[in-house]
Every structure is written in C-alpha cells, then in structure tokens.
Amino acid sequence: MIIDIHTHIFRPDTDFGPKLLADMERCKIDPTIWRNLGEKHLESTKAADVAIVFGLQASATGWNIPNDMVAAHVALAPSRLLYFASIDPALPGFMDELEKCHQQDGAVGVKMSPLYQDVHPCDPRCYQIYRYCMKHGLPVLFHAGTSFVSGTPLDYSRPVHFDRVAVSFPDLRMVLAHLGHPWEGETIAVIRRHANVYADLSALYYRPWQFYNSMQLLVEYRAHEKVLFGSDFPFTTTTDSLNGVRNINHILANSGLPSIPKEVTEGIIHRNALDLLGLPDPTKSGV
C-alpha cells in the first residue's frame, strides 16, 4: 500500500490574503497556476492508495483555506482520502474549530504550521490542541523547516522545538514534514529518540543533492524506518514524488559515493503510515 500523507487543497482566488500574495510576487510565484485544483488533486493522488488532505489556516501570513472546503473535497473520494484539519492557535475560537472539524466534519488528524501561524510549537495555546489530540487519538502533522513566507520567526520551524513537545506528550503521534529542511540532521535527532515521532520526505526530491545527503544521514543513523512518504501536492505530484524517490541514486553517476539501498526507498514508499499514526483505512470503509 502507498500512502501519500502530505497533500494540499486550496483556491488561490479566494483563500490567499494580501500578505501571502505579496510574498508570492516577491518570490516570483504565480498563484494562478493552482486554479481548479480539486480535479487535479483527485487525479494526481490516484498514484497512491490513500492520501491525506489538508488546507492551511494561518492568519499571520495570509493563508485562509476553510476546513469545511477541505472536508467537502475529501467527501468526493471517501474510499481513498483522509481529512486533516488545519488549526491556527492565533485565531479566536481555535478549540471550537478543532472540535467542530473532528466531531462534526470527520477530521482524523490535525495539521499545524508554527512558522506560518507565528506561534511557537511550545506555546500554551498549542498545548491545548495537543491535549485534545491525545484524548481523541488524533495525530498531528507539523510543517517543519523553511518556507518562502516572511514576517514570522523561522526559528519556530526548527525541528529541535518539537523535541520538547514530544517530551511533554510522549504518546502524541507526530509527523515533522519535509524532514525539517534544511535542518534534516535535527529532524533525525528528534525522530530517532521518540517512539511516536516520524518525519515525511515531501518536497525534497527536486533538490537532489540535499535529498541524497539527507537520505544518507537517515541510513547512517538507521532512522529511515521513521520516515513516511508524502508528495506536497500541488507543489509536486504523487507520481513525480514516487519517481523522484526511486531515482535518488541517479545523481551519483560515477562519483563512487555510496548509493541509497533500494530497500530503504521502497520501505519509505510502502510504509503503512495508517497503522503507525493510528488512522482509519478508508479503502476498507465499504464506500
């Protein structure tokens, strides 16, 4: 089974605020390329058996993707999509939003983005969310590492801060996205010392030299079994991500550098993230 644990859905015309649009213009990112994502998402994610889908609520940086829109999208393919709610601790009523998304709309996990939300992962508001997730068995997927957005402390995304969260909540199932790029070493240090903390390798393959070095570190630390497959759609696709992971050794050519074993890459691609994160298997729902 292939599980893509990291896919986004959004509508740039309505869900992107002025701050985000200004950051995109500064970085020469054209948001119009992401119009009509719904159909593209449904098609792209067919390369996986199951895909986790979320939006992003982050008032500090201009992301205003409604959770109910994401839930409605997941309802279009309930036999292979799972819904994670994005919760912004900086917004009033964030706990009410979490309860609604979980209890009424069927969210089976939570997406948090400290860098985007301008809230440190050890902030007391975040701890309210973690306690709820612990009580109800919801895993939390964190954006970890860098981003093009401006005006918030990059430090909030350092993987080392999630170490303290894991110490405080040892039974909370957590995923650190993007291997914490560019702090992959920090991410490895965190995931290997906590039984319930994992990482995903979404949006890494198209920086092939850094991706290779990150995977080599995982092999050397014997931490690759704590890594899950994810694509980061629509910034790439599920199929391109699968090909990128499988072709990781192409960069080596005749350099003599050690290759990443096939059993490591295929192990990541086929790892059962549903079991590890305590998630339902929608393919068995009978829908």
Side-chain angles (χ1 to χ4, degrees):
M1 177 177 281
I2 296 176
I3 301 156
D4 187 341
I5 71 161
H6 196 127
T7 73
H8 299 260
I9 192 76
F10 48 73
R11 304 162 302 187
D13 293 341
T14 59
D15 300 340
F16 292 179
K19 175 69 171 63
L20 175 57
L21 292 172
D23 277 338
M24 287 184 166
E25 183 176 6
R26 173 179 54 83
C27 295
K28 298 180 174 56
I29 299 171
D30 179 7
T32 64
I33 65 173
W34 296 317
R35 286 176 177 161
N36 304 314
L37 274 188
E39 184 176 340
K40 296 174 184 176
H41 181 275
L42 292 173
E43 186 61 31
S44 171
T45 54
K46 286 180 181 177
D49 298 287
V50 177
I52 291 172
V53 193
F54 38 76
L56 179 54
Q57 288 280 301
S59 54
T61 50
W63 298 80
N64 308 297
I65 303 162
N67 282 308
D68 57 4
M69 183 273 290
V70 180
H73 177 79
V74 169
L76 297 175
S79 63
R80 61 182 184 86
L81 300 182
L82 293 174
Y83 162 44
F84 274 29
S86 175
I87 305 300
D88 184 354
L91 289 175
F94 67 90
M95 288 303 298
D96 292 336
E97 175 74 359
L98 173 54
E99 291 181 16
K100 175 187 177 296
C101 291
H102 171 228
Q103 298 179 18
Q104 297 181 30
D105 300 336
V108 296
V110 169
K111 169 70 185 299
M112 296 184 67
S113 304
L115 170 64
Y116 293 87
Q117 296 165 338
D118 197 21
V119 179
H120 193 285
C122 295
D123 187 286
R125 292 168 292 179
C126 295
Y127 273 46
Q128 294 182 59
I129 296 171
Y130 306 151
R131 282 191 287 269
Y132 182 95
C133 291
M134 278 287 304
K135 180 180 178 180
H136 296 282
L138 304 179
V140 182
L141 189 150
F142 293 95
H143 174 86
T146 191
S147 170
F148 68 90
V149 299
S150 64
T152 58
L154 186 57
D155 178 67
Y156 286 4
S157 243
R158 290 288 297 258
V160 70
H161 296 311
F162 301 105
D163 179 69
R164 182 173 293 276
V165 176
V167 169
S168 299
F169 297 91
D171 295 324
L172 178 64
R173 290 168 176 173
M174 300 163 47
V175 180
L176 308 185
H178 317 303
L179 268 178
H181 163 78
W183 299 295
E184 290 93 335
E186 270 189 22
T187 299
I188 292 168
V190 174
I191 64 175
R192 70 193 290 261
R193 69 186 302 260
H194 297 289
N196 291 310
V197 184
Y198 302 88
D200 78 37
L201 45 60
S202 58
L204 293 182
Y205 77 89
Y206 45 74
R207 297 181 180 92
W209 179 241
Q210 189 160 12
F211 182 39
Y212 166 77
N213 280 275
S214 301
M215 290 292 288
Q216 191 63 44
L217 272 179
L218 282 167
V219 171
E220 291 175 2
Y221 277 94
R222 299 181 181 178
H224 50 86
E225 292 185 358
K226 299 298 295 293
V227 177
L228 311 175
F229 174 75
S231 67
D232 204 25
F233 177 93
F235 309 105
T236 181
T237 67
T238 304
T239 296
D240 286 347
S241 295
L242 289 168
N243 291 337
V245 173
R246 285 174 166 145
N247 293 332
I248 188 170
N249 291 318
H250 286 194
I251 192 175
L252 301 181
N254 297 316
S255 66
L257 290 168
S259 63
I260 305 299
K262 182 177 180 180
E263 58 265 28
V264 170
T265 53
E266 290 299 321
I268 292 172
I269 287 170
H270 293 282
R271 185 146 295 125
N272 193 334
L274 303 184
D275 282 353
L276 294 174
L277 301 178
L279 293 168
D281 184 346
T283 68
K284 298 179 179 178
S285 66
V287 176

